[in-house]
Amino acid sequence: MKRRFPLLLVFFFGLLGIIPYFVPHGGYQDFDNALRNDFIRILSAFAIILGLVSLLRVHQDKIKRKRENWQYSYVLIIGFVVSGAIGLFGGIEGELFLPTKIAGFQFDIQTLYLNIIVPLGATMFALLAFFMASASYRAFRARSLESSLLLSAAFIIMIGVLPLADSISSHLPSFAQWIMDIPNVAAKRGITFGIALGGIATSLKIILGIERSWLGGKE
Amino acid sequence: MIYILFSGIFALAPPTGVKAYDTPNDRGDAITVEWLLSPDDNMIEGYEIYRSEKGKEYELVGFIGAGRTTYEDQTETGTEYTYKVAALYDSERSYSEPSPVARSEPQWFDKESVNLLIGVIVFCLIILYFIDQARRGKRLQIRKISGLDAVDEAVGRATEMGRPILYSMGIGLVDYIATIASFNILGEIAKKTGQYETPLIVPTSNPVVYTVAREIVKESYSTIGRPDLFDTDKVYFVTDSQFAYAAAVDGVMLREKPAANFFIGYFKAESLIMAETGASTGAIQIAGTDQITQLPFFVTACDFTLIGEELYAASAYISKEPLLLGAIKGEDLGKIVILSVLVVASLVGLLTKFPVLNIFR
């Protein structure tokens, strides 16, 4: 029963999930929206508590066992407690009772988010440029026929989009565009077909209870 | 003077033949209004759509540019309306005759989706046929997927080196099909790592995904008879912030030095950040996603990449479960059918280009 009940639930809700694609009736669509949005939101609220407990436990353990770079765990825990207190008692923009502005220094959640989280995220994103350069270097080394083709295609496209391309050959920009529009799109569509069919097959396997790896395997 | 003379002799022609009807295949909150173009369509600014509810005054509900002949109006379900369409030129309006009464009603079946429904049913029947064949004991062969053959090698390598294995599911939510496929693979990999007692680290980016992942790893260890191996601190929630998650996973790779990294699920721009960092640690890397834009990054930075549907086939391939292999066989046949239709349709399309073969038009 321990495994049959989740399987029955999956079968029932799986079928409920398919129906709205074919039933446009407002009543059913509203029910489906409530299921997808409200129900999942309520479930997520409970899961967030579990998630946060997990996060704190991992870092508490790290401090206790003095694992590598354990000091940073204090930063996380202090940040967690402080931002939690500010958010709960100070509000998003300082509209609650906790003061979030002292001597011109503002520290409400919105300000903290815009001035700490957003720049930190942008910093990580900026690193992508360097990773791209190192990955490109590795990919474009002409060691095999495939990588040589990749290198040639990349070279043509990079040159083709430059203003300089027209002066080299009037056909170069259109050839670069052809590579993007025809072979590139053809490959993408092929993958998309596979993904769509694979998605249906996976859903079917799960709804029918054939795929049970998510339950930890067969009974 | 010219304007007065012009407006004196110019009478703006209204649109004609206005009809309104319940918009088909919708939730019951729209009426479609159609009309024939005003003879002065080439000079007017556009058409104003007026609506009257149960004989009340007409009110303006929309405007649409010249040359257009339909308008979809959002309405109350079951209420009766009549419509007028006015051709608009400068501030002059020429009103059509009112349309017959129309009422929006909800539909229980979307007739435009019949072909989709048939396609899905046929595809499902093909899959069920092969599953049935597998159930009857027929041996099914599926093509080799080197990325999945490398899973054993990756786990073995980690065991020999005494290092953990990292499994990242990306930043997808629990209802993303890539995340669901990743759950299936996680179950199989957890069983393999459990057999060799190799630690499996699973940092997650969503609390719901974390909860499910934790249960999967726990159940997988129980299935192989080693529930004691489950360590709550190895499967944990990090953050739902995309780049903070990437930074955290990078940190794990640099500190714990996993012998194998799995990036399987839904990834965006963080894919390359994580895969390149993993490559720099010398770990064997296996990736899989259905995000086409991220595939080139994984192909470049990882040793093996599961492309598109290989991600969904992975669980069956690793477990060698006959019923699951049957589903993959059905999936492949479905692809052959679609490919054949595409080839035939392309040929027919090409043949219509030749005047001799007008029969195909």
Side-chain angles (χ1 to χ4, degrees), chain B residues 21-340:
Chain B
Y21 55 87
D22 177 23
T23 303
N25 308 314
D26 74 340
R27 54 181 289 133
D29 59 356
I31 287 177
T32 304
V33 186
E34 273 184 20
W35 59 89
L36 298 173
L37 292 177
S38 159
D40 298 321
D41 183 75
N42 56 350
M43 60 179 289
I44 62 170
E45 290 159 27
Y47 298 97
E48 285 182 341
I49 293 91
Y50 290 85
R51 181 178 73 189
S52 163
E53 184 186 328
K54 293 175 190 163
K56 289 182 196 165
E57 283 287 300
Y58 277 91
E59 56 172 346
L60 179 67
V61 289
F63 172 83
I64 201 159
R68 310 276 294 274
T69 56
T70 58
Y71 178 80
E72 193 176 294
D73 183 32
Q74 296 301 307
T75 58
E76 289 287 324
T77 306
T79 309
E80 293 187 338
Y81 299 97
T82 54
Y83 288 86
K84 275 184 182 178
V85 181
L88 179 69
Y89 173 72
D90 204 1
S91 57
E92 294 293 317
R93 286 173 181 80
S94 179
Y95 293 91
S96 69
E97 290 296 314
S99 70
V101 172
R103 189 170 62 181
S104 57
E105 294 290 348
Q107 276 81 51
W108 280 103
F109 183 69
D110 183 356
K111 288 176 189 156
E112 284 180 2
S113 300
V114 169
N115 53 354
L116 178 67
L117 183 63
I118 292 171
V120 170
I121 289 172
V122 169
F123 183 57
C124 290
L125 287 175
I126 292 172
I127 290 173
L128 292 174
Y129 169 76
F130 280 103
I131 289 172
D132 185 56
Q133 290 290 303
R135 190 169 277 144
R136 286 164 195 266
K138 189 176 176 184
R139 274 184 64 83
L140 299 167
Q141 287 293 326
I142 58 168
R143 72 188 162 89
K144 207 171 146 64
I145 303 174
S146 38
L148 296 173
D149 287 336
V151 168
D152 284 329
E153 186 192 330
V155 176
R157 187 168 177 246
T159 310
E160 278 172 18
M161 294 171 84
R163 289 202 206 153
I165 286 176
L166 177 95
Y167 190 96
S168 167
M169 286 189 281
I171 56 164
L173 301 180
V174 75
D175 54 340
Y176 290 10
I177 191 78
T179 310
I180 294 170
S182 185
F183 284 144
N184 294 333
I185 301 167
L186 174 64
E188 297 302 330
I189 288 176
K191 276 189 251 173
K192 280 194 189 295
T193 55
Q195 281 159 358
Y196 297 109
E197 296 186 19
T198 306
L200 176 66
I201 305 171
V202 189
T204 59
S205 70
N206 178 275
V208 185
V209 171
Y210 152 71
T211 315
V212 179
R214 192 186 63 174
E215 290 306 311
I216 287 172
V217 174
K218 204 169 161 181
E219 283 296 314
S220 298
Y221 286 151
S222 299
T223 306
I224 56 160
R226 296 298 308 271
D228 55 301
L229 287 177
F230 180 68
D231 181 355
T232 45
D233 297 340
K234 290 279 185 271
V235 186
Y236 55 92
F237 168 69
V238 181
T239 169
D240 57 3
S241 167
Q242 181 186 11
F243 292 110
Y245 175 72
V249 174
D250 281 1
V252 172
M253 287 190 279
L254 294 171
R255 281 192 303 272
E256 310 271 345
K257 297 268 186 305
N261 297 326
F262 289 87
F263 304 111
I264 294 176
Y266 180 89
F267 292 86
K268 286 201 154 183
E270 75 287 354
S271 64
L272 189 64
I273 295 175
M274 299 198 306
E276 271 294 289
T277 307
S280 73
T281 63
I284 182 166
Q285 301 204 105
I286 300 174
T289 185
D290 58 2
Q291 293 302 296
I292 295 174
T293 47
Q294 304 308 319
L295 280 172
F297 294 141
F298 278 144
V299 170
T300 308
C302 296
D303 300 286
F304 301 97
T305 307
L306 306 175
I307 296 173
E309 85 273 17
E310 289 176 350
L311 172 67
Y312 307 123
S315 160
Y317 195 93
I318 299 171
S319 68
K320 305 276 186 260
E321 174 69 40
L323 297 186
L324 295 176
L325 290 176
I328 295 177
K329 200 79 183 165
E331 205 180 306
D332 285 347
L333 189 69
K335 265 185 283 179
I336 291 170
V337 171
I338 287 186
L339 202 67
S340 311

Side-chain angles (χ1 to χ4, degrees), chain A residues 103-119:
Chain A
F105 178 68
Q106 203 159 343
F107 51 92
D108 57 80
I109 283 292
Q110 184 73 359
T111 310
L112 293 179
Y113 179 77
L114 291 176
N115 294 288
I116 298 177
I117 305 294
V118 172

Side-chain angles (χ1 to χ4, degrees), chain A residues 46-115:
Chain A
F46 286 105
I48 282 172
I49 298 168
L50 287 173
L52 294 179
V53 169
S54 144
L55 181 72
L56 289 174
R57 272 188 59 162
V58 167
H59 286 275
Q60 188 194 4
D61 184 65
K62 213 168 161 183
I63 293 169
K64 210 163 95 183
R65 292 171 200 261
K66 295 272 188 293
R67 284 186 186 162
E68 196 182 348
N69 297 327
W70 60 274
Q71 299 88 341
Y72 295 124
S73 294
Y74 273 120
V75 178
L76 182 130
I77 291 171
I78 293 166
F80 177 86
V81 173
V82 170
S83 61
I86 293 172
L88 285 172
F89 307 117
I92 302 287
E93 287 177 327
E95 68 273 16
L96 297 181
F97 56 86
L98 186 78
T100 53
K101 192 175 183 180
I102 297 170
F105 178 68
Q106 203 159 343
F107 51 92
D108 57 80
I109 283 292
Q110 184 73 359
T111 310
L112 293 179
Y113 179 77
L114 291 176
N115 294 288

